[in-house]
Amino acid sequence: MTEPLIDTFGRVHNNLRISVTDRCNLRCTYCMPEEVVFLDRSQLLTFEEIARFVAVAAPLGIDKVRLTGGEPLLRRDLPRLVRMLCAIPGIRDVGLTTNGILLADQAATLHDAGLRRLNVSLDALDPQRFRQLTRRDGLERVVAGILAAKRAGFEPVKVNAVSIRGVTEHEVVPLALFARQHGLEMRFIEYMPIGADQWERDKVFLAHAILEMLEREVAPLVPVDNYDPRAPAMEFRYTDGGGKVGIIASVSRPFCLRCNRVRLTAEGKLRNCLFALDEVDVKPLLRGGAATEEIAAVIRKNVMAKWEGHEINTARFIKPLRTMHAIGG
Ligand code: SAM
Ligand code: SF4
């Protein structure tokens, strides 16, 4: 391996999140506006361009890749991309984050293609609440997708829920019980200012309140022993053997100083932070047949330019122009 991707704060970057489309079959209020103009398909990176990028990044230390979007399962023939990425030397882990709507049909094929890490987003088990949040129907399809993923052999299946005070607060316990019943790992994510809606700090249902609620109404929790300090989720396990829970305290306990991620948007923009205000267009390099060293130098420079952290908790915070669906969550 050549020099690893280290930034000016000493953070080593090994994790790449790739958005494969900005399109989505849901319209979650906290993620995107109701009316959206999506990218033209010709603007998206092809699978070959994505794989080239990953092949350049892998020798720089990128060994973990996660496919996201928009809704990644809307991208036709996604298992082919999974196979291409799994075959790249140095890539030891390919994951996917999906809303689960199309998962029941695709879970087994994705597993066969080599995908092992799977996160399904589900914020509410109450159908009306699901519709309110996603502006669409589909709760049953998501649940069917999660159960199909278990049957296909994904282990663990992680379920991500955004925690919004007064909106999804009452879903925390039902979701935790659902996860325990089906052997899933529930992960609650603090609501972040990255959607089209009006974010306010008071709307964040904070990590400590989630934990208190789970301990009070579900079962006692203790931190897991083999906790990975670089992972964004604080991990806990139920002392009664009921499985694990993750809490992603992006607002109340930012993990920026341990961040190991870079992101590639669906149309080939490299971002060194979810909240980055600048991005670098690598599509012309990939499409124009640039040399490996040239692309590697651009990745390295982007990582070096990474700031200390997102500053959500300060008056200096500036919300990026793109909303979450267009960045890749
Ligand atoms: N469509 C897929 C899905 O929903 O899983 C993948 C893309 S989505 C942008 C990735 C993750 O970002 C989801 O788990 C979603 O809940 C999360 N997300 C979106 N907007 C968010 C926000 N404002 N705060 C916290 N998490 C958010
Ligand atoms: Fe779509 Fe995922 Fe955003 Fe919901 S969170 S609108 S499912 S991209």
Side-chain angles (χ1 to χ4, degrees):
M1 192 176 85
T2 53
E3 282 291 291
L5 287 170
I6 304 185
D7 70 6
T8 54
F9 297 91
R11 297 174 289 202
V12 178
H13 291 70
N14 71 322
N15 193 320
L16 172 67
R17 295 176 84 90
I18 302 171
S19 171
V20 293
T21 179
D22 63 334
R23 283 168 201 260
C24 194
N25 39 13
L26 298 180
R27 293 286 183 278
C28 301
T29 53
Y30 51 73
C31 174
M32 71 199 298
E34 187 153 19
E35 302 295 333
V36 211
V37 179
F38 292 118
L39 294 168
D40 186 80
R41 286 198 170 77
S42 63
Q43 293 173 274
L44 301 181
L45 292 183
T46 63
F47 287 174
E48 286 66 25
E49 287 163 348
I50 293 173
R52 171 91 200 287
F53 183 87
V54 174
V56 173
L60 309 179
I62 295 292
D63 58 6
K64 259 179 115 167
V65 172
R66 175 165 294 270
L67 303 176
T68 180
E71 175 44 42
L73 299 190
L74 286 175
R75 183 81 188 245
R76 197 174 319 138
D77 206 11
L78 194 69
R80 184 167 81 86
L81 178 63
V82 171
R83 274 194 300 277
M84 288 165 77
L85 298 180
C86 287
I88 294 173
I91 298 301
R92 61 177 177 86
D93 195 325
V94 179
L96 173 81
T97 301
T98 170
N99 64 25
I101 293 277
L102 299 173
L103 186 57
D105 285 345
Q106 300 192 31
T109 324
L110 286 163
H111 195 269
D112 289 349
L115 187 78
R116 288 296 173 268
R117 286 177 171 264
L118 184 66
N119 291 31
V120 187
S121 304
L122 174 62
D123 308 313
L125 285 169
D126 174 70
Q128 240 171 305
R129 184 72 70 196
F130 181 92
R131 198 176 309 120
Q132 176 198 352
L133 281 162
T134 64
R135 303 187 181 109
R136 296 286 187 275
D137 289 317
L139 171 63
E140 285 170 16
R141 297 181 70 178
V142 179
V143 171
I146 291 172
L147 300 182
K150 279 294 276 191
R151 283 197 301 277
F154 287 100
E155 193 56 53
V157 174
K158 296 185 179 176
V159 177
N160 291 356
V162 179
S163 298
I164 310 175
R165 197 198 292 270
V167 181
T168 57
E169 197 174 332
H170 302 295
E171 297 290 334
V172 167
V173 171
L175 282 167
L177 295 174
F178 169 78
R180 280 162 62 95
Q181 182 189 350
H182 294 287
L184 311 163
E185 198 173 315
M186 215 41 239
R187 289 150 54 100
F188 296 99
I189 308 173
E190 285 180 346
Y191 170 42
M192 295 182 286
I194 194 76
D197 58 349
Q198 183 62 40
W199 181 90
E200 285 158 33
R201 167 168 286 282
D202 280 354
K203 291 187 188 163
V204 185
F205 189 46
L206 296 168
H208 76 89
I210 298 169
L211 267 180
E212 273 171 30
M213 185 180 256
L214 292 174
E215 295 225 72
R216 193 174 58 240
E217 298 187 39
V218 182
L221 288 159
V222 288
V224 299
D225 304 331
N226 56 350
Y227 162 68
D228 174 1
R230 285 195 308 173
M234 300 183 285
E235 291 213 304
F236 300 87
R237 64 176 173 80
Y238 293 108
T239 53
D240 67 359
K244 286 201 272 187
V245 178
I247 312 258
I248 305 183
S250 343
V251 178
S252 66
R253 272 188 61 179
F255 35 87
C256 302
L257 282 176
R258 291 171 277 124
C259 181
N260 59 0
R261 299 169 176 206
V262 279
R263 294 164 188 271
L264 187 62
T265 69
E267 83 280 42
K269 303 276 170 66
L270 186 59
R271 298 176 65 88
N272 55 23
C273 175
L274 175 58
F275 294 93
L277 301 172
D278 300 316
E279 44 192 32
V280 184
D281 193 359
V282 290
K283 187 165 63 183
L285 300 176
L286 296 166
R287 217 153 263 192
T292 297
E293 300 73 48
E294 196 182 342
I295 302 169
V298 168
I299 301 174
R300 216 176 266 295
K301 192 169 167 209
N302 186 253
V303 168
M304 280 303 275
K306 184 159 172 155
W307 53 19
E308 190 176 351
H310 60 45
E311 302 199 321
I312 290 177
N313 298 305
T314 74
R316 292 186 299 275
F317 177 69
I318 301 171
K319 190 171 151 179
L321 287 176
R322 282 176 186 263
T323 55
M324 186 70 133
H325 81 283
I327 298 172

